Amino acid sequence: MALAETRNGDVWGEADRRHRIIEAAERAFVRHGFHATTMQHVAAEAAMSPGNLYRYFPSKEAIVQALCARDQAERGRAFATFAQAESVIAAMAEGLRMNLLGKPREKMQMILEIWAEAARNPAIAALCGAIDADVHAGLMGLVEAAKGKGEAVADLDADFAARLMITVVVGLFKRRAHETDFDGERELSLALGIFVTLFRGGIRPFSAPDAKGAV
Amino acid sequence: MALAETRNGDVWGEADRRHRIIEAAERAFVRHGFHATTMQHVAAEAAMSPGNLYRYFPSKEAIVQALCARDQAERGRAFATFAQAESVIAAMAEGLRMNLLGKPREKMQMILEIWAEAARNPAIAALCGAIDADVHAGLMGLVEAAKGKGEAVADLDADFAARLMITVVVGLFKRRAHETDFDGERELSLALGIFVTLFRGGIRPFSAPDAKGAV
DNA sequence: CACCTGAGAATGAACGTTCATTCTCGTTAG
DNA sequence: CTAACGAGAATGAACGTTCATTCTCAGGTG
């Protein structure tokens, strides 16, 4: 099916090329940043001509969207793996280790750029929103699973816990992107420290004391 | 020759114009986003011609840097206020209320763009780094103050606490920028819930169980 | 076999647009 | 008058996109 299909069945080849372009685009975006990356850069990285990119994607924007969609799929797969883990804390540890230590800093920087883009570009915003919803749902599932295993107190509010975990992880992502002396293991133990207490039921929403007088 | 500077009292007028331009730039950046804002937009917002901007700033980049610097100064002032507050938790509540509810969403979106920019632009990175260092130092000061007032346990690691609080606040900033249904009061009580437990000594770094088997 | 044919793949120079920046010249204050 | 101020057109570079052209190669033909 590989070589013989070039005549008519180049659909295979086309998907392959689209994939190659997205990979190249990611490398280029990671290297030069989001806005500074030109189609020439992507083309060079993909080892093809600029014009030829347009045979596979109608615009630069389309490439960006495809890349975001791929990330979404990746994230979804990661959560599917989490759900099978025996210990929820261990799963969180593994997931964070993968993202805080496993990925190069530049990748985190690209995520910052995607976040910024999402604030302006409705298509990207929709993709990111879908990712976030997935993650939120996945985390709530994890919390419920943890309850079932006795790793979390029974009356833990799953939505509260999920929002808290997302907040912490997002904060770590940003810090990882910026801080040159970011210590992954140290920050990992910080996050896990929070989560352990959370699961133990030690963290509850706290209504602020009236701040009328404060400045 | 070029230094015939203080010829007149117009030095005042110049500072005034620079200030006006920065304010206009902020409005433009907030409205159109960082990269999509043109000098024409800034000029229109400042009610002057594009060319005339260059009488006061050598480049677009210089305007951006001035804006970031102003934000840094603002942040510094905010922390000076915090330090005087009677209750540390109340101070945090007030500070977060100001930033999570007081500022328009668009302002948060601009901060995301500044973060993204900082990943690529050394000058902006330096400014952001300085802000972060200020905030970190200020928070450690707050923690120590809280200890003194008996609001925090004596053996709380100030650096750990500061990093944790920064992480949470950063996470909330990002979520505020993106989530259309972001509930400021709810998230505020989430953050304060964490901080209260933290000050009580209920959160400690947690070393992850070994994750050899996981994928 | 040698040679053609044609269609999809790929090229890369050129185009048109969008800006940051500069230039020119009119206006105003002292 | 002089010098600073300011408006707005002009400039030039960068970049996404297009398109006329070239390449490749599976089949057909003799």
Side-chain angles (χ1 to χ4, degrees):
Chain A
M1 169 130 8
L3 273 159
E5 285 278 355
T6 31
R7 182 74 182 145
N8 179 7
D10 222 13
V11 176
W12 179 86
E14 170 149 341
D16 187 48
R17 292 246 151 60
R18 287 175 57 95
H19 188 250
R20 195 171 101 202
I21 291 171
I22 290 179
E23 298 262 304
E26 174 163 33
R27 263 173 281 134
F29 288 145
V30 162
R31 180 172 306 132
H32 303 100
F34 204 65
H35 289 276
T37 298
T38 70
M39 290 299 261
Q40 323 287 331
H41 288 148
V42 177
E45 196 71 42
M48 65 174 63
S49 65
N52 200 34
L53 294 175
Y54 288 85
R55 184 174 292 278
Y56 302 99
F57 291 94
S59 65
K60 183 183 181 182
E61 159 112 5
I63 295 180
V64 170
Q65 287 183 26
L67 202 155
C68 288
R70 203 202 56 171
D71 261 22
Q72 178 182 18
E74 248 178 44
R75 200 89 55 114
R77 248 175 282 127
F79 263 106
T81 316
F82 279 14
Q84 302 163 358
E86 50 201 77
S87 157
V88 172
I89 288 292
M92 294 296 307
E94 188 57 22
L96 284 177
R97 206 187 295 274
M98 223 165 57
N99 283 297
L100 289 182
L101 300 170
K103 302 281 179 64
R105 162 189 308 276
E106 291 79 12
K107 178 110 184 187
M108 292 293 115
Q109 295 177 336
M110 200 184 76
I111 290 183
L112 287 196
E113 299 199 59
I114 291 178
W115 287 351
E117 192 65 15
R120 301 289 161 196
N121 182 327
I124 308 290
L127 283 169
C128 287
I131 294 178
D132 291 350
D134 278 2
V135 170
H136 186 268
L139 283 177
M140 282 184 63
L142 268 191
V143 171
E144 293 299 347
K147 285 186 192 175
K149 291 170 186 168
E151 286 192 84
V153 295
D155 68 338
L156 182 58
D157 181 332
D159 173 63
F160 172 79
R163 283 186 287 115
L164 190 153
M165 289 190 280
I166 289 173
T167 304
V168 170
V169 170
V170 163
L172 287 181
F173 271 39
K174 184 270 180 188
R175 292 183 51 216
R176 161 97 162 105
H178 276 172
E179 297 176 12
T180 54
D181 59 344
F182 187 86
D183 181 338
E185 284 298 339
R186 192 177 60 164
E187 304 301 338
L188 175 61
S189 74
L190 181 150
L192 292 180
I194 298 175
F195 298 164
V196 165
T197 302
L198 172 70
F199 278 29
R200 215 180 264 147
I203 304 179
R204 307 276 164 169
F206 179 83
S207 287
D210 200 333
K212 290 280 167 53
V215 176
Chain B
M1 174 74 162
L3 305 180
E5 38 192 336
T6 41
R7 187 73 187 126
N8 221 340
D10 224 11
V11 171
W12 179 85
E14 170 149 341
D16 188 48
R17 290 253 151 58
R18 286 175 56 97
H19 188 251
R20 195 172 99 200
I21 290 171
I22 290 180
E23 298 262 303
E26 175 163 31
R27 261 174 283 134
F29 287 145
V30 162
R31 180 172 307 131
H32 302 102
F34 203 66
H35 287 276
T37 298
T38 71
M39 289 299 262
Q40 276 81 4
H41 288 147
V42 176
E45 195 71 42
M48 65 174 62
S49 66
N52 200 32
L53 293 175
Y54 287 84
R55 195 173 286 281
Y56 301 99
F57 290 95
S59 67
K60 183 183 180 181
E61 160 113 3
I63 295 178
V64 171
Q65 287 184 26
L67 202 157
C68 287
R70 204 202 55 170
D71 261 21
Q72 178 183 17
E74 246 177 45
R75 201 88 56 112
R77 246 175 283 126
F79 263 106
T81 315
F82 280 13
Q84 302 164 358
E86 50 201 77
S87 158
V88 172
I89 288 293
M92 295 295 306
E94 188 56 21
L96 284 177
R97 205 187 296 273
M98 222 165 56
N99 283 297
L100 289 182
L101 301 170
K103 302 280 179 66
R105 163 187 309 275
E106 290 80 12
K107 178 110 184 185
M108 293 293 116
Q109 295 178 335
M110 200 184 74
I111 290 182
L112 287 195
E113 300 200 58
I114 291 178
W115 288 350
E117 192 65 16
R120 300 289 162 196
N121 183 328
I124 308 291
L127 283 168
C128 287
I131 294 178
D132 291 350
D134 278 2
V135 170
H136 186 267
L139 283 177
M140 283 184 63
L142 267 192
V143 172
E144 293 300 346
K147 285 186 192 175
K149 292 170 185 166
E151 285 191 85
V153 295
D155 68 339
L156 181 58
D157 182 331
D159 173 62
F160 173 79
R163 281 186 288 114
L164 190 154
M165 289 190 280
I166 289 173
T167 304
V168 170
V169 170
V170 164
L172 286 181
F173 271 39
K174 184 271 179 187
R175 292 183 50 216
R176 162 96 162 106
H178 276 172
E179 298 176 12
T180 54
D181 58 346
F182 187 85
D183 180 338
E185 284 298 338
R186 193 177 59 163
E187 304 300 338
L188 175 61
S189 75
L190 180 150
L192 293 180
I194 299 175
F195 297 164
V196 165
T197 303
L198 173 70
F199 279 29
R200 217 181 262 148
I203 304 180
R204 307 276 163 170
F206 180 83
S207 287
D210 201 332
K212 289 278 166 56
V215 179

